[in-house]
């Protein structure tokens, strides 16, 4: 497994990041543990979760499951870069959400307890909170860093202007600032190229791409008639991209590679991208997608993919001279 620097930091992370959103509510505990073990064995050292993950099991369930896995073998903690997130509602309490300094402190303590660890390597803001001033947020993050509870701060689902604003505020106070942005980015959804990725490149912020398979659209034809992707194939999105997806399938067949592997490999060829998040539901899915790290796409293939799924940016050239 290849590794890359996390943004402008010296920290090395695997270019495939194991996303755990399915662990617990959709992927049973034993299979989740098997996937985690397979990830370590394959050289994946980057594991991403969030305090809200848990689905039908309730918020925090996925972090708790990860904590159980880590408790089985304490050496595992030192072998991974552990990332989680804060922002989403954790209860009906009006203050148990968002990015107030109060909630950030309390949410971090709760995540540490569920994970059973003394520190989080990468603490990410799950979404922008327009009511929270950057100064308040940085005050809370500074305190967590000083307490040894977190090491790096990242963002997720931030617009380009917010990435710039937060890093300018950080630089003014001689802070390291944001080191990565977890953004929706894939062949179907390329709007991050307009301003998010250019902002990240300008500030040395690593891009971590989530939903690399566009919710299953780029994974190829469903093999399970009643599975989640089978339902998605009938969705408006699948119909809207029908010709592009058909052309993509032909290209992948010519390469002798599965569409999912090609889609993730494409992301790993894009400027500014540190890692792609792979969030499998099953062990066999994870094993197949690991091959994306090995695939080198020739320039002719990359050009063909751009022809099928046209690029967006960067701004302002994308919409003005």
């Amino acid at each position: 497994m290849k590794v890359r620097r996390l943004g402008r930091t010296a920290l090395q992370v695997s270019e495939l990041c194991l996303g755990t959103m399915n662990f617990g509510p959709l992927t049973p505990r034993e299979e989740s543990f098997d996937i985690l073990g397979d990830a370590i064995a394959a050289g994946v050292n980057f594991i991403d979760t969030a305090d809200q993950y848990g689905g039908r099991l309730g918020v925090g369930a996925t972090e708790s499951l990860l904590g159980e896995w880590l408790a089985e073998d304490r050496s595992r903690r030192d072998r991974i870069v552990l990332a989680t997130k804060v922002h989403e509602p954790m209860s009906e309490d009006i203050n148990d959400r968002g990015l107030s300094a109060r909630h950030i402190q309390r949410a971090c303590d709760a995540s540490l307890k569920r994970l059973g660890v003394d520190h989080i390597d990468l603490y990410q803001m799950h979404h922008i909170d327009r009511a929270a001033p950057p100064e308040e947020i940085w005050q809370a993050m500074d305190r967590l860093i000083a307490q040894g509870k977190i090491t790096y701060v990242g963002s997720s689902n931030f617009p380009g202007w917010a990435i710039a604003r937060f890093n300018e505020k950080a630089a003014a106070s001689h802070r390291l600032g944001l080191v990565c942005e977890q953004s929706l980015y894939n062949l179907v959804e390329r709007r991050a190229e307009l301003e998010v990725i250019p902002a990240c490149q300008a500030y040395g912020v690593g891009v971590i791409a989530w939903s690399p398979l566009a919710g299953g659209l780029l994974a190829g034809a469903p093999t399970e008639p009643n599975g989640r992707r089978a339902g998605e194939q009938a969705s408006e999105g699948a119909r809207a991209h029908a010709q592009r997806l058909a052309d993509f399938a032909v290209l992948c067949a010519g390469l002798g590679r599965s569409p999912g592997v090609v889609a993730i490999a494409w992301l790993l060829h894009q400027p500014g991208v540190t890692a792609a998040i792979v969030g499998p539901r099953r062990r066999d899915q994870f094993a197949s997608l690991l091959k994306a790290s090995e695939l080198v796409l020739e320039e002719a293939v990359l050009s063909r993919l751009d022809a099928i799924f046209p690029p967006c940016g960067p701004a302002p050239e994308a919409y003005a001279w």
Side-chain angles (χ1 to χ4, degrees):
M1 177 64 59
K2 299 173 185 175
V3 297
R4 303 182 181 191
R5 290 174 57 194
L6 182 63
R8 64 189 180 282
T9 75
L11 184 67
Q12 301 280 331
V13 297
S14 53
E15 62 181 12
L16 292 184
C17 174
L18 178 59
T20 62
M21 186 172 67
N22 291 323
F23 291 3
L26 296 178
T27 306
R29 180 180 185 273
E30 291 304 318
E31 189 163 14
S32 297
F33 282 20
D34 286 341
I35 294 171
L36 286 160
D38 291 347
I40 296 297
V44 173
N45 75 340
F46 197 8
I47 297 178
D48 177 75
T49 190
D51 59 1
Q52 196 202 36
Y53 292 169
R56 60 181 176 80
L57 301 180
V59 295
T62 299
E63 283 189 334
S64 295
L65 184 149
L66 276 174
E68 293 172 12
W69 177 74
L70 289 168
E72 283 191 348
D73 181 350
R74 290 298 179 183
S75 69
R76 291 170 176 167
R77 178 64 188 94
D78 294 332
R79 298 171 63 186
I80 64 169
V81 175
L82 181 60
T84 192
K85 309 182 195 76
V86 57
H87 174 279
E88 297 300 275
M90 297 299 289
S91 72
E92 294 300 318
D93 185 341
I94 192 63
N95 284 313
D96 200 14
R97 64 195 68 198
L99 296 175
S100 69
R102 178 181 185 271
H103 179 61
I104 289 172
Q105 179 75 50
R106 291 166 63 90
C108 182
D109 288 341
S111 287
L112 290 170
K113 184 176 181 179
R114 286 189 292 267
L115 291 164
V117 299
D118 61 6
H119 74 284
I120 294 160
D121 297 309
L122 174 62
Y123 202 42
Q124 302 159 109
M125 294 172 273
H126 210 156
H127 197 277
I128 190 170
D129 182 350
R130 293 179 175 84
E135 295 85 354
E136 177 182 4
I137 293 171
W138 280 127
Q139 172 185 293
M141 296 300 184
D142 284 347
R143 180 163 61 174
L144 292 175
I145 292 171
Q147 292 170 343
K149 294 178 178 179
I150 66 172
T151 305
Y152 299 101
V153 179
S155 58
S156 182
N157 305 304
F158 270 34
W161 64 265
I163 292 167
R165 185 184 185 207
F166 269 73
N167 271 347
E168 288 295 337
K169 292 286 186 181
S173 300
H174 307 290
R175 298 183 180 96
L176 179 61
L178 301 175
V179 301
C180 60
E181 157 64 18
Q182 192 172 135
S183 182
L184 174 62
Y185 188 35
N186 55 58
L187 278 165
V188 172
E189 177 51 80
R190 297 183 63 167
R191 284 179 291 180
E193 295 170 351
L194 284 166
E195 299 201 20
V196 171
I197 293 176
C200 288
Q201 290 179 291
Y203 285 96
V205 173
V207 175
I208 304 170
W210 67 266
S211 193
L213 302 183
L217 287 180
L218 296 168
T223 56
E224 301 173 14
N226 299 317
R228 182 172 64 94
R229 281 200 286 130
E232 289 178 355
Q233 290 295 318
S235 70
E236 181 179 347
R239 291 193 297 271
H241 297 285
Q243 187 57 58
R244 290 178 177 178
L245 294 173
D247 293 343
F248 178 55
V250 170
L251 183 150
C252 295
L255 294 174
R257 298 283 188 161
S258 71
V261 167
V262 174
I264 294 173
W266 173 83
L267 274 171
L268 298 178
H269 284 70
Q270 301 313 299
V273 171
T274 292
I277 294 181
V278 177
R281 293 179 65 184
R282 302 192 316 270
R283 193 177 185 183
D284 62 312
Q285 290 176 336
F286 180 63
S288 66
L289 294 177
L290 280 172
K291 299 173 184 176
S293 183
E294 307 166 358
L295 181 57
V296 176
L297 300 176
E298 301 294 337
E299 285 299 324
V301 174
L302 294 171
S303 295
R304 178 59 183 148
L305 287 169
D306 280 344
I308 298 172
F309 302 101
C312 285
E317 288 83 359
Y319 49 77
W321 69 91

